């Protein structure tokens, strides 16, 4: 049956892919965004779909609507953007969660939070399981994002316990793919744009830090399955690809796939940059029957095609 679904941050990278998937499944979708890091271009092709609506709104302000489900994705995700106005970032996570949870409570909607592997901080446990409480600096340059997302998880759990709100907590690991902004600032889009423009590839630190990169379609499949999971499965659940790469390996793969003549250059490592990150996805496999399908080389190839088409 057709559902009415609110996607906050729907004009962003992940939000626009989620909107597309939900529309394809025959739902009525309302996209709410303040266009801080989102782009109208991401949602342009849905604008003449009668099942689609866009509302310019900031989640730090209360909002009222009647829907069945809410996907709460509104929040800048790239360190460059979330550090631009850290107070606004934490307000977006915390006040945004309070506003969306208050709405979910009033209208009895189910609500999913786009949480993050950043709740694990610079992890001392490897790979990271959902039971790990994390190693996060509360007063560093990443704190506005990490602590904001941790507080949002707390709020979600408390609204569930205190008010029976049906919640889902999704801990998303680094995701990349088409519709990332060329100036997004995250590593995959940076390296691809640099390689395609023949510019130096900027590796921060010695490049031995690791990340586990997930292609966007795998992420969206995990998100849809989590929202549809039985009511007593709340998460948090890791959604990510366990294949782990150093930033040097990523840079070399991007150079190979773009056939670029770009050279790798080293720049200072930003403060509090996590040294390693890799999800344990046992829980997602068991509860959601989910695992990633697209490996890095295939996903990078699709992403490179996208950037070639827009640059
Ligand atoms: P993005 O920056 O492309 O999208 C975020 C969207 O939220 C943008 O459209 C932006 O304009 C909107 N937004 C920001 N602040 C807002 C506010 N106050 N009110 C309304 N809209 C606002 O980032 P993304 O990669 O699509 O991330 C989406 C969500 O997933 C974020 O919550 C992010 O923290 C989470 N996440 C993403 C990743 C990843 O690797 N992509 C990893 C972990 C978590
Ligand atoms: N990074 C890099 N060069 C860049 C951008 C990022 O070497 O141009 C590194 C960054 O220091 C980090 C990793 O790539 O170690 C992933 O960074 P990103 O900003 O994509 O995400 P996050 O640190 O939040 O996982």
């Amino acid at each position: 049956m057709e559902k009415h679904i609110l996607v906050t941050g729907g004009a962003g990278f992940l939000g626009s892919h989620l909107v597309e998937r939900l529309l394809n499944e025959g739902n009525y979708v309302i996209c709410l965004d303040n266009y801080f890091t989102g782009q109208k271009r991401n949602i342009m092709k849905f604008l003449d779909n009668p099942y689609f609506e866009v509302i310019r709104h900031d989640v730090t302000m209360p909002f009222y609507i009647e829907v069945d489900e809410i996907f709460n994705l509104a929040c800048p995700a790239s360190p460059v953007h979330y550090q631009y106005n850290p107070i606004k970032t934490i307000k977006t996570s915390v006040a945004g969660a309070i506003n969306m949870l208050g709405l979910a409570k009033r209208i009895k909607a189910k609500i999913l939070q786009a949480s993050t592997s950043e709740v694990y901080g610079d992890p001392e446990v490897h790979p990271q399981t959902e039971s790990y409480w994390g190693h996060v600096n509360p007063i560093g340059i990443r704190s506005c994002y990490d602590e904001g997302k941790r507080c949002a998880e707390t709020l979600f759990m408390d609204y569930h316990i205190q008010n029976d709100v049906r919640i889902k907590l999704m801990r998303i690991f680094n995701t990349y793919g088409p519709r990332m902004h060329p100036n997004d600032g995250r590593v995959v889009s940076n390296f691809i744009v640099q390689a395609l423009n023949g510019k130096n590839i900027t590796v921060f630190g010695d490049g031995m830090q690791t990340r586990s990169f997930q292609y966007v379609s795998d992420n969206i499949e995990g998100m849809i399955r989590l929202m549809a999971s039985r009511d007593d499965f709340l998460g948090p659940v890791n959604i990510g690809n366990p294949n782990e790469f150093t930033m040097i390996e990523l840079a070399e793969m991007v150079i190979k796939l773009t056939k670029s003549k770009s050279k790798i250059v080293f720049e200072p490592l930003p403060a509090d940059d996590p040294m390693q990150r890799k999800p344990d996805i046992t829980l997602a496999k068991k509860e959601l029957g989910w695992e990633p399908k697209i490996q890095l080389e295939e996903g990078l190839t699709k992403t490179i095609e996208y950037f070639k088409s827009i640059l």
Side-chain angles (χ1 to χ4, degrees):
M1 206 184 72
E2 163 201 325
K3 284 180 286 198
H4 281 58
I5 302 177
L6 175 66
V7 179
T8 78
F13 161 50
L14 293 181
S16 64
H17 285 277
L18 176 65
V19 163
E20 183 162 24
R21 170 80 185 254
L22 294 171
L23 287 172
N24 287 342
E25 289 178 357
N27 299 293
Y28 192 99
V29 181
I30 300 108
C31 162
L32 179 160
D33 210 295
N34 71 351
Y35 297 114
F36 174 46
T37 51
Q39 312 176 75
K40 231 176 172 180
R41 175 167 69 189
N42 285 342
I43 48 170
M44 203 74 94
K45 67 175 184 180
F46 317 130
L47 289 179
D48 55 5
N49 185 330
Y51 284 77
F52 183 62
E53 259 177 70
V54 197
I55 298 167
R56 180 188 282 265
H57 183 82
D58 193 304
V59 286
T60 60
M61 301 294 163
F63 182 70
Y64 190 81
I65 196 168
E66 293 280 346
V67 288
D68 304 296
E69 294 177 354
I70 303 169
F71 288 85
N72 189 36
L73 272 58
C75 186
S78 162
V80 181
H81 297 296
Y82 72 63
Q83 287 164 16
Y84 171 74
N85 184 345
I87 297 172
K88 179 64 197 254
T89 299
I90 200 157
K91 276 189 187 168
T92 295
S93 277
V94 177
I98 292 171
N99 287 329
M100 290 305 129
L101 284 161
L103 175 63
K105 176 186 155 190
R106 279 199 300 279
I107 61 174
K108 299 199 180 343
K110 186 157 52 162
I111 180 165
L112 179 146
Q113 167 68 354
S115 190
T116 167
S117 52
E118 295 285 328
V119 301
Y120 302 123
D122 192 3
E124 295 148 313
V125 166
H126 197 72
Q128 292 80 53
T129 52
E130 290 84 353
S131 57
Y132 177 50
W133 289 355
H135 178 225
V136 178
N137 178 358
I139 53 167
I141 56 169
R142 297 173 81 99
S143 312
C144 59
Y145 184 75
D146 302 9
E147 296 288 22
K149 290 284 188 178
R150 285 168 68 94
C151 183
E153 285 200 7
T154 308
L155 284 161
F156 268 69
M157 204 45 88
D158 286 340
Y159 268 78
H160 172 71
I161 293 166
Q162 209 173 320
N163 296 124
D164 287 330
V165 174
R166 290 175 297 152
I167 62 153
K168 306 283 178 189
L169 290 172
M170 172 174 179
R171 288 190 181 151
I172 302 171
F173 283 66
N174 297 61
T175 308
Y176 66 97
R179 296 193 199 143
M180 291 185 93
H181 195 288
N183 298 326
D184 179 275
R186 280 175 280 185
V187 68
V188 174
S189 47
N190 269 12
F191 285 2
I192 292 177
V193 171
Q194 288 164 342
L196 291 177
N197 288 334
K199 299 262 169 61
N200 289 336
I201 309 268
T202 54
V203 169
F204 298 165
D206 63 5
M208 294 311 287
Q209 70 273 35
T210 69
R211 293 294 186 273
S212 302
F213 297 104
Q214 136 178 257
Y215 189 65
V216 60
S217 56
D218 285 329
N219 175 316
I220 300 302
E221 181 64 30
M223 206 179 299
I224 295 282
R225 286 186 188 218
L226 177 58
M227 187 57 117
S229 63
R230 52 169 222 277
D231 272 357
D232 64 351
F233 181 67
L234 315 176
V237 59
N238 290 338
I239 297 290
N241 188 321
N243 284 341
E244 189 183 4
F245 295 86
T246 65
M247 294 313 101
I248 294 280
E249 287 170 332
L250 176 69
E252 285 169 349
M253 199 182 285
V254 168
I255 290 172
K256 185 186 95 182
L257 294 174
T258 51
K259 301 187 179 65
S260 173
K261 296 200 164 47
S262 293
K263 297 275 169 287
I264 294 175
V265 295
F266 293 91
E267 293 192 356
L269 187 69
D272 296 338
D273 201 285
M275 275 316 293
Q276 52 181 7
R277 208 184 275 144
K278 168 182 167 135
D280 180 316
I281 58 166
T282 311
L283 185 65
K285 281 185 181 160
K286 177 170 168 277
E287 291 293 338
L288 308 177
W290 176 88
E291 62 183 323
K293 299 261 182 299
I294 310 269
Q295 298 310 338
L296 189 58
E297 191 156 326
E298 184 184 354
L300 284 180
T301 304
K302 291 174 195 271
T303 311
I304 289 165
E305 285 315 307
Y306 169 76
F307 278 109
K308 273 187 188 160
S309 75
I310 63 157
L311 287 176

